[in-house]
mmCIF file of all heavy atoms in Angstrom:
data_model
loop_
_atom_site.group_PDB
_atom_site.id
_atom_site.type_symbol
_atom_site.label_atom_id
_atom_site.label_comp_id
_atom_site.label_asym_id
_atom_site.label_seq_id
_atom_site.Cartn_x
_atom_site.Cartn_y
_atom_site.Cartn_z
ATOM 1 N N SER A 13 43.418 22.888 28.157
ATOM 2 C CA SER A 13 44.246 21.685 27.987
ATOM 3 C C SER A 13 45.455 21.969 27.097
ATOM 4 O O SER A 13 46.566 21.543 27.401
ATOM 5 C CB SER A 13 43.425 20.551 27.373
ATOM 6 O OG SER A 13 42.372 20.195 28.216
ATOM 7 N N ILE A 15 46.921 24.883 26.567
ATOM 8 C CA ILE A 15 47.824 25.781 27.293
ATOM 9 C C ILE A 15 48.646 24.995 28.310
ATOM 10 O O ILE A 15 49.860 25.190 28.436
ATOM 11 C CB ILE A 15 47.042 26.927 27.961
ATOM 12 C CG1 ILE A 15 46.498 27.885 26.899
ATOM 13 C CG2 ILE A 15 47.910 27.668 28.966
ATOM 14 C CD1 ILE A 15 45.552 28.930 27.430
ATOM 15 N N ASN A 40 93.135 18.784 48.288
ATOM 16 C CA ASN A 40 92.753 19.177 46.926
ATOM 17 C C ASN A 40 91.335 19.736 46.874
ATOM 18 O O ASN A 40 90.481 19.358 47.671
ATOM 19 C CB ASN A 40 92.813 17.976 45.978
ATOM 20 C CG ASN A 40 94.178 17.390 45.846
ATOM 21 O OD1 ASN A 40 95.168 18.103 45.799
ATOM 22 N ND2 ASN A 40 94.242 16.067 45.788
ATOM 23 N N THR A 45 82.435 20.668 35.408
ATOM 24 C CA THR A 45 81.277 21.333 34.807
ATOM 25 C C THR A 45 80.864 20.559 33.560
ATOM 26 O O THR A 45 81.727 20.206 32.747
ATOM 27 C CB THR A 45 81.631 22.785 34.413
ATOM 28 O OG1 THR A 45 82.176 23.447 35.546
ATOM 29 C CG2 THR A 45 80.399 23.527 33.941
ATOM 30 N N TYR A 67 87.571 16.546 29.358
ATOM 31 C CA TYR A 67 87.600 15.090 29.323
ATOM 32 C C TYR A 67 86.234 14.582 28.880
ATOM 33 O O TYR A 67 85.271 15.331 28.788
ATOM 34 C CB TYR A 67 87.957 14.507 30.694
ATOM 35 C CG TYR A 67 89.335 14.904 31.164
ATOM 36 C CD1 TYR A 67 89.498 15.854 32.161
ATOM 37 C CD2 TYR A 67 90.466 14.335 30.608
ATOM 38 C CE1 TYR A 67 90.755 16.227 32.593
ATOM 39 C CE2 TYR A 67 91.735 14.706 31.029
ATOM 40 C CZ TYR A 67 91.869 15.657 32.024
ATOM 41 O OH TYR A 67 93.116 16.029 32.441
ATOM 42 N N SER A 70 83.440 8.428 30.654
ATOM 43 C CA SER A 70 83.733 7.086 30.150
ATOM 44 C C SER A 70 82.697 6.050 30.577
ATOM 45 O O SER A 70 82.528 5.034 29.911
ATOM 46 C CB SER A 70 85.120 6.642 30.598
ATOM 47 O OG SER A 70 85.200 6.632 32.010
ATOM 48 N N GLN A 92 74.880 10.575 46.581
ATOM 49 C CA GLN A 92 75.632 10.655 47.832
ATOM 50 C C GLN A 92 76.445 11.941 47.928
ATOM 51 O O GLN A 92 76.940 12.276 49.004
ATOM 52 C CB GLN A 92 76.588 9.460 47.944
ATOM 53 C CG GLN A 92 75.921 8.121 47.876
ATOM 54 C CD GLN A 92 75.263 7.740 49.178
ATOM 55 O OE1 GLN A 92 75.703 8.148 50.240
ATOM 56 N NE2 GLN A 92 74.207 6.960 49.115
ATOM 57 N N ARG A 99 94.351 7.017 42.254
ATOM 58 C CA ARG A 99 95.634 7.325 41.620
ATOM 59 C C ARG A 99 96.606 6.229 42.031
ATOM 60 O O ARG A 99 96.974 6.128 43.202
ATOM 61 C CB ARG A 99 96.142 8.676 42.083
ATOM 62 C CG ARG A 99 97.439 9.100 41.429
ATOM 63 C CD ARG A 99 97.962 10.412 41.942
ATOM 64 N NE ARG A 99 96.895 11.352 42.260
ATOM 65 C CZ ARG A 99 97.006 12.305 43.178
ATOM 66 N NH1 ARG A 99 98.117 12.454 43.858
ATOM 67 N NH2 ARG A 99 96.002 13.124 43.415
ATOM 68 N N LYS A 100 96.998 5.396 41.049
ATOM 69 C CA LYS A 100 97.836 4.212 41.302
ATOM 70 C C LYS A 100 97.142 3.358 42.360
ATOM 71 O O LYS A 100 96.091 2.816 42.105
ATOM 72 C CB LYS A 100 99.251 4.612 41.676
ATOM 73 C CG LYS A 100 99.977 5.323 40.553
ATOM 74 C CD LYS A 100 101.367 5.692 40.940
ATOM 75 C CE LYS A 100 101.992 6.477 39.802
ATOM 76 N NZ LYS A 100 103.285 7.006 40.132
#
Side-chain angles (χ1 to χ4, degrees):
S13 298
I15 290 172
N40 298 321
T45 307
Y67 297 105
S70 59
Q92 302 282 331
R99 182 183 325 152
K100 296 181 184 174

